[in-house]
């Protein structure tokens, strides 16, 4: 996702999503993990369960080595971005990819993280834009200019075929947020979702060919931060909080799920796991907001949206995503 909150633009996007749907259907502890430089870069010669974890898992690859690489691809979620104040922040080792290394170790996996993620990436930029500004890379990540993000990842996968045990992909959020400001947001969203599906299939086909059939590829979606708009005094934003979960459930997540499944990958529903589909009539007390709907309290607790209007997870929020990812791994 992008480095800043969605605000009013995001509210318009949700309204557009719902309109398009109607028209078409009339506290985890941060960890420090080793990273490596990818060869060839400029710096070196099934349906989800109610918890958001897919019910199927890959069988262990025959003769898989104890030590393997874990390749992370995507946007600011994969890079571990967190705000320090409104419109200020940086990438951190609290991100889900970094936390997943430690969690996977408890299941018998010894991963070295190779993180190609770039904050602000879209499904188009990962395929076409060379390199990534250093400040947008995850901590410890190496520059891969002049390659694209996917080009660098494919080169690494091909060079280490059989040595990569896990690939995660976090991408697509930035493709649709721009539609909130479009003159015709419905048409924009419809086109954006087609682009996401097309680009993801291209991206995942290349990754699968480079990595081989046995490598686990896991894709994620996002928490429904717009639920935090229930705390707004703006009636328009309040309405988006009531409708946004449906937008994720009906359009955005099915498009992502379909793309990952088609490539022989797995999809984890972070939206469901963060409680977005719960009842808005169930309430709890959360300081300093008082009595608020339980799904809203979950978003306030797991992300920075209620505090800074920032879409990124707090460390426990990233930890939840890491658990979803490692939950697809069988025990060694």
């Amino acid at each position: 996702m992008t480095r800043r909150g969605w605000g009013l633009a995001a509210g318009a996007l949700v309204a557009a999503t719902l309109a398009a749907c109607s028209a078409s259907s009339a506290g985890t502890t941060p960890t420090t993990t080793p990273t490596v430089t990818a060869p060839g870069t400029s710096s070196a010669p099934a349906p989800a369960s109610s918890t958001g974890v897919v019910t199927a898992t890959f069988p262990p690859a025959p003769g898989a080595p104890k030590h393997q690489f874990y390749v992370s691809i995507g946007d600011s979620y994969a890079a571990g971005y967190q705000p320090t104040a409104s419109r200020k922040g940086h990438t951190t080792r609290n991100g889900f990819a970094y936390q997943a290394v430690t969690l996977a170790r408890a299941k018998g996996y010894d991963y070295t993280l190779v993180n190609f993620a770039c904050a602000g990436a879209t499904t188009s930029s990962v395929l076409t834009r060379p390199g990534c500004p250093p400040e947008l890379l995850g901590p410890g990540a190496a520059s891969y200019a002049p390659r694209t993000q996917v080009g660098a990842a494919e080169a690494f996968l091909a060079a280490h075929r059989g040595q990569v045990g896990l690939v995660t992909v976090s991408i697509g959020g930035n493709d649709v947020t721009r539609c909130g400001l479009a003159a015709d947001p419905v048409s924009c969203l419809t086109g954006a979702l087609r682009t996401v599906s097309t680009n993801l299939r291209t991206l995942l086909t290349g990754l699968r060919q480079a990595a081989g059939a046995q490598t686990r590829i896991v894709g994620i979606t996002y928490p429904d931060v717009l639920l935090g708009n229930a705390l707004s005094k703006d009636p328009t934003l309040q309405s988006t909080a009531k409708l946004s979960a449906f937008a994720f459930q009906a359009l955005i997540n099915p498009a992502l799920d379909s793309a990952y499944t088609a490539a022989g990958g797995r999809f984890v529903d972070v939206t469901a796991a963060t409680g977005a589909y719960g009842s808005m009539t169930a309430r709890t007390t959360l300081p300093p907001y008082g009595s608020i709907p339980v799904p809203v309290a979950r978003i306030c607790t797991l992300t920075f949206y209620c505090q800074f209007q920032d879409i990124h997870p707090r460390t426990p929020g990233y930890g939840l995503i890491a658990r979803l990812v490692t939950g697809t791994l069988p025990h060694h």
Side-chain angles (χ1 to χ4, degrees), residues 114-134:
V114 186
N115 198 350
F116 295 99
C118 182
T122 67
T123 61
S124 295
S125 72
V126 295
L127 296 170
T128 62
R129 185 177 300 163
C132 177

Side-chain angles (χ1 to χ4, degrees), residues 31 33 35 78-79 92-102 113 115 138-140:
T31 60
T33 58
T35 56
T92 74
R93 292 184 182 272
N94 299 329
F96 77 84
Y98 298 90
Q99 294 195 45
V101 173
T102 297
L113 176 64
N115 198 350

Side-chain angles (χ1 to χ4, degrees), residues 30-292:
T31 60
T32 300
T33 58
T35 56
V36 301
T37 300
T41 66
S42 60
S43 57
S49 71
S50 60
T51 63
V53 182
V54 293
T55 55
T57 58
F58 289 96
K66 182 177 180 181
H67 174 267
Q68 294 179 310
F69 294 107
Y70 160 25
V71 172
S72 169
I73 298 162
D75 52 25
S76 57
Y77 267 52
Y81 181 87
Q82 290 183 307
T84 54
S86 179
R87 298 179 181 269
K88 294 181 180 180
H90 52 81
T91 60
T92 74
R93 292 184 182 272
N94 299 329
F96 77 84
Y98 298 90
Q99 294 195 45
V101 173
T102 297
L103 293 177
R105 191 172 298 127
K107 300 185 76 171
Y109 297 86
D110 181 15
Y111 287 143
T112 293
L113 176 64
V114 186
N115 198 350
F116 295 99
C118 182
T122 67
T123 61
S124 295
S125 72
V126 295
L127 296 170
T128 62
R129 185 177 300 163
C132 177
E135 69 274 14
L136 301 184
L137 291 168
S143 171
Y144 44 82
R147 294 182 186 272
T148 64
Q149 184 178 157
V150 171
E154 289 178 356
F156 184 89
L157 290 169
H160 296 81
R161 194 177 178 93
Q163 298 175 283
V164 178
L166 175 65
V167 177
T168 58
V169 182
S170 167
I171 202 71
N174 293 323
D175 292 70
V176 299
T177 56
R178 63 182 176 82
C179 293
L181 297 177
D184 184 353
V186 175
S187 296
C188 177
L189 179 64
T190 302
L193 289 177
R194 284 198 299 265
T195 298
V196 167
S197 296
T198 298
N199 287 345
L200 259 183
R201 282 180 169 81
T202 299
L203 183 162
L204 294 168
T205 297
L207 294 179
R208 175 59 71 202
Q209 291 175 346
Q214 293 297 318
T215 302
R216 298 174 181 87
I217 298 178
V218 178
I220 74 164
T221 184
Y222 306 91
D224 180 10
V225 296
L226 295 185
L227 288 170
N229 286 336
L231 304 178
S232 174
K233 296 181 180 180
D234 184 329
T236 301
L237 291 181
Q238 289 177 1
S239 68
T240 67
K242 298 177 181 179
L243 300 173
S244 57
F246 178 72
F248 271 100
Q249 193 171 30
L251 280 182
I252 298 172
N253 290 350
L256 295 175
D257 190 1
S258 177
Y260 289 111
T261 301
R266 293 293 184 267
F267 174 76
V268 291
D269 191 342
V270 176
T271 320
T274 50
Y277 306 143
S279 171
M280 291 290 281
T281 61
R283 303 184 74 84
T284 188
T285 299
L286 179 69
Y289 310 107
S291 177
I292 59 177

